[in-house]
Amino acid sequence: MTTLADPRPGGRPGDLDRVPALTADLAARGVHGIVLAYVDTAGVCRVKTIPTARLEAAVAWGVGMSPVFDTFLADDSIVTTDVLGSPDGDLRLYPDLDHLVPLAGQPGWAWAPVDRITQEGERHPGCARTFLRRIVTDAADRHGLAFKAAIEIEWAVGAGSAPADAFVPAATGPAYGAVRQVELSDYTAELLAALAAQGVDVEQIHPEYAPAQFEVSVAALDPVAAADRSVLVRQTIRAVAQRHGLRVSFAPAYLPEGVGNGGHLHLSCWRDGVNLHSGGAGRYGMTATAQAFLAGILAHLPGLTAVTAPSPASYLRLQPSQWAGVFTAWGRETREAAVRVVTGTAGRRDQDANLEVKPVDLAANPYLALGCVIAAGIDGITADRPLPGEITGDPARYGPDEAAARGVRRLPQSLPGAVEEFRADPVLRAALGPVLADAVSAVRLGEAAAVEGLSPTALAAFYRWAY
């Protein structure tokens, strides 16, 4: 459970006392450097690294990094807002010692997520990890709610010998096929070993639908830890692939056609240790709180899409009848609905029941995505939103009148359209605060402008290796 306080100059309480033993342990493991990682508004993981001997200084006083990265695009061009994007200023990166881990896929290195504060010791309003922690803390304080979350990770494995800008599948065979598993069995076995050594509980790993695509599912944690884990797992997938002469892409559309890579969010609400998605009097055992939480997510999905599907390439993936969840609808185990109600197997439902939010990909900043989805659900609880009727099958079959009667809307079909919905959603903007909300709008519109007029083939190529 992540209960970490905001960092402060001089170090979080108790952290400095932990450093000598931690540094000695890292040195004994042959760790020479530590990767300090955070995710920017565009969804790109940015890092600074320090020698292990500098950990004490980093814990006490942080490591400097410009706030300009909050308005970087995926191709490293820069946009600006009224607050962000200037060459002026500096921030301090503070590692979270509870989540520092030696990297089995990168011998000699350890990894830690960071929070960012100003030089004056105040919260940086653009820090996505701090934002998510605040959302979770507020939900506990105001509603007595806790959450468990996990992020599915899909990725495509390409041949490392291919031209730098090309994707050549590193495996053949059909979706979920044994052929693909056999061809990359050494790679995936080493990946499982590395994740286990890093304390990541893997639930399953398998070949997926698209060419040379795989998916890994991990156990649920509190939302901040779940977002941290998503970043760590991707770091590990990439590092182990490199050791096998392979390249990986987490981009939402690494080819112009097909289903692309998703990053579905799994989320459940808990109160006093009880799963609110099971054992209630509502549909499929949901409590009234869980139903209102689901209704809130559905109500805000059009605006949420600017956060959960933040790349122009996301809209190559968000197509009907491809299990991407492009309609504002829910259903039990309905993979075409934007929110799938997962009840779990009889005998385990009190532990396993959850919601799967599907119009999400791995271009999304996981801290922003989880925080905004939770904020949308909390609004549903606060407003006591009624749960609309469920759907079965593919909502693409509905005509306009039936879709309207059911409250089923097509999600935005372009990134500028998603930004328009986001700007019209006061709940999401208030949850993020003005600095982050303006950064989300500016970065998304900047991404759209950067690729305006590109063909689907060129668009997929533009973002193929950005994520």
Side-chain angles (χ1 to χ4, degrees), residues 146-161:
F147 304 94
K148 292 184 179 181
I151 300 173
E152 294 179 7
I153 295 175
E154 295 179 347
W155 76 101
V157 187
S161 58

Side-chain angles (χ1 to χ4, degrees), residues 24 63 106 146:
V63 174
Q106 292 174 255

Side-chain angles (χ1 to χ4, degrees), residues 74-427:
D75 68 351
D76 289 345
S77 55
I78 306 171
V79 296
T80 61
T81 71
D82 290 343
V83 176
L84 299 171
S86 162
D88 302 330
D90 198 34
L91 298 171
R92 310 306 294 176
L93 312 181
Y94 277 81
D96 179 347
L97 296 185
D98 289 340
H99 293 274
L100 188 152
V101 59
L103 290 171
Q106 292 174 255
W109 290 95
W111 177 94
V114 300
D115 290 284
R116 296 179 293 156
I117 65 173
T118 69
Q119 289 179 310
E120 290 69 39
E122 299 171 351
R123 287 179 174 178
H124 172 45
C127 179
R129 192 172 192 264
T130 302
F131 156 72
L132 176 56
R133 193 169 62 250
R134 175 176 56 79
I135 291 291
V136 171
T137 300
D138 286 351
D141 292 343
R142 297 181 184 180
H143 302 278
L145 291 176
F147 304 94
K148 292 184 179 181
I151 300 173
E152 294 179 7
I153 295 175
E154 295 179 347
W155 76 101
V157 187
S161 58
D165 60 348
F167 177 79
V168 176
T172 59
Y176 293 83
V179 171
R180 199 183 301 178
Q181 190 275 329
V182 170
E183 289 180 349
L184 290 179
S185 61
D186 289 346
Y187 164 56
T188 50
E190 184 175 333
L191 176 58
L192 285 173
L195 292 172
Q198 293 168 186
V200 176
D201 298 321
V202 173
E203 296 193 336
Q204 58 182 359
I205 184 171
H206 57 82
E208 252 291 348
Y209 190 89
Q213 185 184 50
F214 283 76
E215 178 186 304
V216 63
S217 299
V218 299
L221 300 169
D222 75 87
V224 176
D228 290 341
R229 176 165 286 183
S230 171
V231 180
L232 173 62
V233 169
R234 279 179 271 175
Q235 175 104 4
T236 307
I237 288 169
R238 194 182 302 279
V240 175
Q242 178 93 9
R243 294 165 66 84
H244 284 259
L246 303 168
R247 297 182 75 190
V248 300
S249 174
F250 301 102
Y254 58 97
L255 296 171
E257 69 286 328
V259 300
N261 290 317
H264 303 162
L265 302 183
H266 286 265
L267 187 64
S268 55
C269 307
W270 297 66
R271 182 180 282 128
D272 299 326
V274 175
N275 186 349
L276 301 183
H277 300 266
S278 175
R283 295 290 288 164
Y284 305 116
M286 286 187 284
T287 64
T289 298
Q291 290 192 149
F293 187 81
L294 168 53
I297 294 172
L298 288 172
H300 293 284
L301 265 178
L304 277 169
T305 308
V307 177
T308 62
S311 167
S314 301
Y315 297 84
L316 297 177
R317 189 185 80 88
L318 290 180
Q319 299 298 323
S321 306
Q322 292 191 1
W323 293 12
V326 300
F327 294 96
T328 58
W330 73 276
R332 183 193 181 198
E333 304 294 2
T334 303
R335 286 171 171 81
E336 278 294 343
V339 184
R340 170 185 166 220
V341 171
V342 181
T343 56
T345 304
R348 284 281 306 174
R349 289 176 178 167
D350 61 331
Q351 295 298 312
D352 294 346
N354 69 90
L355 305 177
E356 179 187 33
V357 183
K358 296 183 71 67
V360 187
D361 61 55
L362 298 175
N365 178 314
Y367 304 95
L368 294 184
L370 277 168
C372 285
V373 169
I374 291 171
I378 292 295
D379 178 67
I381 295 170
T382 302
D384 195 22
R385 289 184 181 271
L387 184 63
E390 67 180 301
I391 63 110
T392 57
D394 188 349
R397 73 185 189 277
Y398 298 148
D401 292 341
E402 184 176 3
R406 291 174 176 270
V408 173
R409 288 181 58 191
R410 177 78 157 85
L411 292 177
Q413 298 181 55
S414 70
L415 190 50
V419 172
E420 184 177 350
E421 295 279 4
F422 171 77
R423 285 177 162 173
D425 192 317
V427 170

